[in-house]
Amino acid sequence: MAAAWDGFKGRLWKEEVNVRDFIQNNYTPYDGDEKFLVGPTDATNKLFDKLQELQKAEHNKKSVGKDGKERIGVLDMDTSIVTGLTAHKPGYIDENLKDLEKVVGLQTDKPLKRAFMPFGGIKMAEQSCEQYGYTPDPELHKIFTVYHKTHSDAVFDVYTPEIRKVRSSHILTGLPDTYGRGRIVGDYRRVALYGIDALIKFKEADKAAIGDGTMTEEVIRLKEEVSEQIKALKGMKEMAALYGFDISKPATNAKEAVQWLYFGYLAAIKTQNGAAMSIGRVSTFLDVYIERDLKAGVITESEAQELIDHLVMKARMVRFARIEAYNNLFSGDPIWATLEVGGLGQDGRSMVTKNDYRFLHTLENMGPSPEPNMTVLYSKRLPENFRRYCAHISIETSSIQYENDDVMRPVWGDDYSICCCVSATQTGKEMQFFGARANLAKALLYAINGGRDEADGLTPGVQVGPEYAPITADVLDASNYKEVERKYVAMLEWLADIYVNSLNAIHYMHDKYYYEAAELALEDTDLKRTFATGIAGFSHVVDSLSAIKYAKVKVIRGDVEVKNKKTGEVVEVVKNLAKGFEVEGDFPRYGQDDDRADDIAVWLLKTFMGMIKKHPTYRNAEPTTSILTITSNVVYGKATGALPDGRKAHEPFSPGANPSYGAETKGLVKSLNSVAKLPYHYALDGISNTQTINPSALGHDKTEQVDNLVNVLDGYFDIGPDSGHTGAHHLNVNVFGVEKLKDCQAHPEKPEYANFTVRVSGYAVRFINLTKEQQDDVIARTCHAAL
Amino acid sequence: MAAAWDGFKGRLWKEEVNVRDFIQNNYTPYDGDEKFLVGPTDATNKLFDKLQELQKAEHNKKSVGKDGKERIGVLDMDTSIVTGLTAHKPGYIDENLKDLEKVVGLQTDKPLKRAFMPFGGIKMAEQSCEQYGYTPDPELHKIFTVYHKTHSDAVFDVYTPEIRKVRSSHILTGLPDTYGRGRIVGDYRRVALYGIDALIKFKEADKAAIGDGTMTEEVIRLKEEVSEQIKALKGMKEMAALYGFDISKPATNAKEAVQWLYFGYLAAIKTQNGAAMSIGRVSTFLDVYIERDLKAGVITESEAQELIDHLVMKARMVRFARIEAYNNLFSGDPIWATLEVGGLGQDGRSMVTKNDYRFLHTLENMGPSPEPNMTVLYSKRLPENFRRYCAHISIETSSIQYENDDVMRPVWGDDYSICCCVSATQTGKEMQFFGARANLAKALLYAINGGRDEADGLTPGVQVGPEYAPITADVLDASNYKEVERKYVAMLEWLADIYVNSLNAIHYMHDKYYYEAAELALEDTDLKRTFATGIAGFSHVVDSLSAIKYAKVKVIRGDVEVKNKKTGEVVEVVKNLAKGFEVEGDFPRYGQDDDRADDIAVWLLKTFMGMIKKHPTYRNAEPTTSILTITSNVVYGKATGALPDGRKAHEPFSPGANPSYGAETKGLVKSLNSVAKLPYHYALDGISNTQTINPSALGHDKTEQVDNLVNVLDGYFDIGPDSGHTGAHHLNVNVFGVEKLKDCQAHPEKPEYANFTVRVSGYAVRFINLTKEQQDDVIARTCHAAL
């Protein structure tokens, strides 16, 4: 290790796996400006041109599915190779340009070719091929049905009829029962710092230390898991060897550090297609290697930037085979390769390094891009130069998001990564049992309708929830608000129960059939596990309750025919279900900085989180919740009838914790204030807020715009005693006008729109890659014309 | 169901799965003699001739293994088909005679062809082929290493170095970590009584009733297991359909009942290669169908006997692919297709039916045979005619064993089956976590040598057990007996601990990777689980302790070189290890009906069982133990150094609970009395006793021999207050002289020895199929020349 670690300070990290300690002992904070940055190298330009060609070919490639339907967006797929660490021969962006690639490694043997990943679910893997006109090898079907059971099949084996019903009605949606749960960030830096051989030794010592000899199920399971991790580590070495690298020993320079780290990540994306495949907090870490090489004169700034550009290029190339239904939920091929810059150390020092600039600068060197999902861990204590540079990049590219380091650091320390779009996780020390979302707006309708799915639901009139007494009043107002609240609470209790238990089944089976050995090999053996539930329809519940409490809501009732799903035959007619609502009078809304509404918001969050906490969780995972929906707000809305806040049936929900469309009548700052009142510690999985600001609202010129955006961010994320904020957690910043969106929708072929990136909710997409429906939704969102 | 159940009485069994209730309501006790029995039909003779030819061809077939070694005894093997319910096309004893088969169904497509069973362990499955010159398809290797993990691989993933050491030294042996645990008796009668469709419905109702909605790991696991059971039931229907039968509905007559039942058993032996694959208690059940058909005049006695002959013929044909090491442990291809006759009901009625005679009569119609492992559930309250017929069959064939219904019925009820050689289990209500054996004789040497393996052990001088203080005295006698006892108890505590925990790991993984869906589909969902540990070297420990207590044992000491396993290099020289013993003076021995020795035997059993009970067991299984070794007494002995009782290093142990060779100086009855003092409830998994009696010792003519054997059995199994017996459980009865054994060893080719069957320990073998070593052992055993 001596040579590889030459010049590095500290002791703890040498004696145990402790990347944080290495970083804290060795990083060089940078508070200068961006002037040191350099443009792309020739190699970068050539490779990126090639990648652009490939992406264009992919975007335009038309495939005809087995169902006869034409689909676009898939360049190539595997049909006979089961993905694995060493399943493919080495692949390059371009065989003829491979010497230019400073960071090598593809998921398959060809760029943008999608691997066959059956372990999560064979049906899904097959469908994802067939919908794009590919035919998977029938032998694989036999292997993954007769010989090896897949995660999805196992989950459905244990689902109760009740769980199947809540899935069908979509009061629970997006459950990771047909895809990988993801949201695990391997500490890929470990590969660079320690090399695989040392990591194997540490894991072997860990394995030997599990339990006192009594073979409880917990002990047996963990021992087997660590065995699988050790096999995965050995597999990583073989994988790297295919590309001509020996990663058994630590990286000795910056180039190797980037390459080793990427091999760690590559192992993850070769073996798992998770809900999110974050890269993690790698910037400051890599800066240590680059600084050493710069000081030693063995690397130039241009070479340093090239390494980062090439690493980022690889992150832009990650693809998974996906079915249409998934694409409808999350358009634009997102993989949430989330990567952080910024943040402060626990000792108060800024962790911003030159490398944080380099990562952001990739958005200039190679233009805007949704991936990697670039995230600034924000604090007003970050160097002003850096905050201004971030604002500049936001204004130019709308490709970055901000998260409040000041609320996360006390919980997760100073070495957390974002494991999905916005959710924090301690790097290398934690995994998440991802749980998608419960539709709390639908639950309000269930409370009103005694557990029956509403007329405009996906399973109209069906008794999905418990048959509690419905609310029979024709007018809902202050006089019966308590009844509404009481019945809603009862229905939420039921929902929290079935939600947690569905997730318990899912994660038990995920561990059993689709264990993330490669990712968890790069995490501590003694893991913390969080149990990440989520809320959808948040703003609509708050506004609906506010409407009832402060105005008058007339209930429009009607009969609903319950039909047999297969035959279409009417099996029951349900009388007097609430089918719509008419609001009379004004009421305070969430997003107006009005405590009357915002108090309901806080109450809702606390109430639901409290219910989740009551239930036993698989492996005693720590329950958390989130208010984030990514783009699924559209699909959730589609499955939900009209609401008492005036939202019509099937209309999209507002995304994440955003106020409802049309509610933000008092300007951006008031809107931000409402969201910032939600206590972060009740929603540790994240509170996502997406805002679009018209450039002109920010200022007349670039400097003014930067000034103002920094002010907005400083203000929003301030949780000081005078701020009134308890938890401002996340902000997506788009800087463009609605006209640009409309023009892009009308003329997607214009070259300037090829990479036009829009932050939607916790992630970004190329606007042209969204479905028409989702584009409409983005256009409908509030674009603040004034602060 | 109405037609199928026409004429059957009772109610409970119609409303729930309750075969016992069906039997008790409908069986016809028979206390007559054997005169009603008839000889084999033409069809039986033709098929059996064919089978004899096949068995001869199998016995003589020479194969050259991949290792160049010649082996015999395997006729044919699968190399590319993975076994499964419907993996093979239908197979028959002889394609040209298939219309003669009244009971159809083979494990593979050809008679005596062995299936490829990789789920227990791919290495084992491959080796079993390769040792006989077959080459398994390499694609299967990939599938069962890369895509699907097997039971064995998983177990070794979690074994601690300590467990590996105790396996290597053989202080624990025969652990089911490379083969199926077996010892599960599906209630195959259910297929006949209910038909598959009804069984599926019952299982679906069971599945819905698991848990209260809270998805604990227990609930999830059981729900998934029942899902797999339901799939297996569906698979059984398909399997039967390949043979042209629809088993979705109940059997309507005796022929169908036998066939349906056999299909249930066939499902088990097609999918599992367990430590034992018992058929269970089917005789009285089938008699109900035969009686109905006989009364209705739709079947003759000859046809009835033919059905039973053909069912038994099928049981004689079960084969598994096995490796040489397994064959060394258990010679003669045993599969423990144990099948019971006799027994009493809880209401005091004899459960002997005509069918019990028919099953025993197969040993006359088709000659002696080790399989099915015919077991008489004995009580002196069974009809005298039946007891005499059993004795007659024993004298003629040495092919049956006896177990004491009077000790088992109070524990297991009146519908238990023998799930291995001698272990009882409630039919359809219980499964066993099989655990092979701990070598308690070796443990005594470890106590003396401070945890080091003895000089003549398999890992000489290695510190296998804990480094407790050794016994340093050069003479062991009454003066230091307490020290020996104390140190032995400490070492046993360690052994019990590591034993239970090894088994916990094994059974966790068995459930995970090699779940017995087909067998457990025919058992209750709410299962009782026993945790069956076992004791080897029992008599030698008892006699050794007795020698120390009542005589004087000189310890011969010497140095032992500990060598590196791979290099052979000496890594340590251990001083003064006990290497041998010289006994001065006489001492009482177990097998002489002397309480001084027998009290030590009872103490040893109680002590070890008490230690086993202390430890947490997987799925809260109920711990039990056994004193039975089958033929493994030879292998256990081989791994064990000299003992203080005078037994030399490497000599075979006495089998099971048998007194040591040479100890039984006071005659058969005294020997039996010693064994009968062991309390059965401390060894609920069984106390096996194998005895050989010279025909002349039994009497001058057949009648006298039968009289005397019945007397011996009545006396041994009597647990009445005057008997002095607390648990006489099992007796293997061989009736022949040692000369016959010696002649057979010298002239195995003589036709009269082709089926010469010897009860060894809990099972029977053809003597010619034993290894030379095992033959020598059988010859060395006491052959009682006087009662």
Side-chain angles (χ1 to χ4, degrees), chain A residues 413-431:
Chain A
D414 59 13
D415 193 38
Y416 61 87
S417 293
I418 303 304
C419 67
C420 181
C421 40
V422 308
S423 315
T425 183
Q426 294 176 71
T427 315
K429 298 186 172 303
E430 193 173 340
M431 72 173 283

Side-chain angles (χ1 to χ4, degrees), chain A residues 149 157 207 215 228 513, chain B residues 149 157 207 224 228 501:
Chain A
K149 193 169 176 177
D157 269 355
K207 188 181 161 193
M215 286 282 195
E228 292 299 323
Y513 292 103
Chain B
K149 194 170 176 176
D157 269 354
K207 188 181 162 193
E224 188 185 21
E228 292 299 324
N501 284 307

Side-chain angles (χ1 to χ4, degrees), chain A residues 176-335:
Chain A
D177 52 16
T178 52
Y179 64 102
R181 60 190 167 195
R183 285 193 166 199
I184 297 170
V185 191
D187 186 354
Y188 307 114
R189 307 167 306 190
R190 294 182 181 186
V191 182
L193 185 57
Y194 297 102
I196 296 289
D197 285 354
L199 294 177
I200 290 174
K201 277 199 185 133
F202 281 117
K203 280 291 175 186
E204 277 168 349
D206 285 354
K207 188 181 161 193
I210 297 168
D212 64 355
T214 303
M215 286 282 195
T216 62
E217 294 185 38
E218 289 285 327
V219 165
I220 297 168
R221 175 169 51 197
L222 188 55
K223 274 186 184 280
E224 188 185 23
E225 287 173 350
V226 177
S227 293
E228 292 299 323
Q229 291 171 17
I230 291 169
K231 288 177 211 170
L233 288 168
K234 291 175 181 168
M236 285 180 216
K237 280 212 292 191
E238 288 175 42
M239 175 189 76
L242 292 176
Y243 282 94
F245 291 96
D246 175 10
I247 61 172
S248 59
K249 299 281 165 293
T252 59
N253 57 37
K255 179 171 182 301
E256 283 186 358
V258 175
Q259 179 68 67
W260 275 213
L261 181 150
Y262 175 66
F263 276 135
Y265 180 64
L266 185 61
I269 55 177
K270 268 179 180 282
T271 53
Q272 287 278 339
N273 169 8
M277 299 299 290
S278 293
I279 298 171
R281 193 162 183 168
V282 302
S283 171
T284 306
F285 171 82
L286 288 174
D287 191 72
V288 177
Y289 283 85
I290 294 173
E291 275 299 304
R292 185 175 67 168
D293 284 6
L294 284 171
K295 273 187 192 131
V298 299
I299 194 176
T300 63
E301 178 56 35
S302 178
E303 286 167 326
Q305 182 67 48
E306 187 180 53
L307 285 174
I308 301 306
D309 285 343
H310 289 206
L311 175 62
V312 164
M313 213 181 312
K314 284 292 183 307
R316 292 185 180 189
M317 294 176 69
V318 183
R319 293 291 184 279
F320 294 110
R322 278 163 174 172
I323 61 165
E324 190 171 38
Y326 183 97
N327 291 334
N328 289 342
L329 209 53
F330 306 119
S331 267
D333 256 346
I335 64 136

Side-chain angles (χ1 to χ4, degrees), chain A residues 80-83 119 139-140 143-144 146-149 153-154 156-161 163-164 207-208 212-221 223-225 227-228 231 497 500-502 504-506 508-509 511-513 615-616 618-619, chain B residues 80-83 119 139-140 143-144 146-149 153-154 156-161 163-164 207-208 212-221 223-225 227-228 231 497 500-502 504-506 508-509 511-513 615-616 618-619:
Chain A
S80 62
I81 296 175
V82 176
T83 193
F119 292 94
E139 180 63 19
L140 296 179
I143 293 171
F144 290 96
V146 180
Y147 305 141
H148 187 83
K149 193 169 176 177
D153 289 339
F156 281 86
D157 269 355
V158 301
Y159 269 170
T160 59
I163 295 177
R164 286 169 188 263
K207 188 181 161 193
D212 64 355
T214 303
M215 286 282 195
T216 62
E217 294 185 38
E218 289 285 327
V219 165
I220 297 168
R221 175 169 51 197
K223 274 186 184 280
E224 188 185 23
E225 287 173 350
S227 293
E228 292 299 323
K231 288 177 211 170
D497 181 359
V500 171
N501 283 308
S502 304
N504 282 335
I506 289 168
Y508 174 98
M509 291 304 180
D511 275 354
K512 183 168 180 185
Y513 292 103
H615 299 277
Y618 175 60
R619 295 182 94 163
Chain B
S80 62
I81 294 176
V82 176
T83 194
F119 292 95
E139 180 64 19
L140 296 179
I143 292 172
F144 289 96
V146 180
Y147 304 141
H148 186 84
K149 194 170 176 176
D153 289 339
F156 282 86
D157 269 354
V158 302
Y159 268 170
T160 60
I163 295 177
R164 286 169 187 264
K207 188 181 162 193
D212 65 354
T214 303
M215 286 281 195
T216 62
E217 293 185 39
E218 289 285 327
V219 165
I220 297 167
R221 175 169 49 198
K223 272 183 184 282
E224 188 185 21
E225 287 173 350
S227 294
E228 292 299 324
K231 287 177 211 169
D497 180 359
V500 171
N501 284 307
S502 304
N504 283 335
I506 289 168
Y508 173 97
M509 291 304 180
D511 276 352
K512 185 169 177 183
Y513 291 104
H615 300 278
Y618 174 60
R619 295 182 96 163

Side-chain angles (χ1 to χ4, degrees), chain B residues 142-193:
Chain B
K142 186 176 176 190
I143 292 172
F144 289 96
T145 51
V146 180
Y147 304 141
H148 186 84
K149 194 170 176 176
T150 61
H151 164 56
S152 179
D153 289 339
V155 172
F156 282 86
D157 269 354
V158 302
Y159 268 170
T160 60
E162 292 72 28
I163 295 177
R164 286 169 187 264
K165 273 191 187 174
V166 296
R167 276 185 100 259
S168 297
S169 86
H170 278 208
I171 192 162
L172 288 185
T173 42
L175 296 172
D177 52 16
T178 53
Y179 63 103
R181 60 189 167 196
R183 285 195 168 200
I184 297 170
V185 191
D187 186 354
Y188 307 115
R189 308 167 305 190
R190 294 183 182 187
V191 182
L193 185 57

Side-chain angles (χ1 to χ4, degrees), chain A residues 645-693:
Chain A
D645 69 341
R647 176 195 151 279
K648 299 276 168 284
H650 310 310
E651 274 182 7
F653 288 166
S654 70
N658 269 56
S660 301
Y661 305 161
E664 297 158 288
T665 53
K666 320 263 170 163
L668 176 64
V669 173
K670 294 272 187 191
S671 170
L672 295 178
N673 282 344
S674 275
V675 180
K677 284 177 199 165
L678 299 170
Y680 173 66
H681 60 280
Y682 277 96
L684 283 176
D685 198 51
I687 301 168
S688 168
N689 189 4
T690 300
Q691 294 293 347
T692 302
I693 313 169

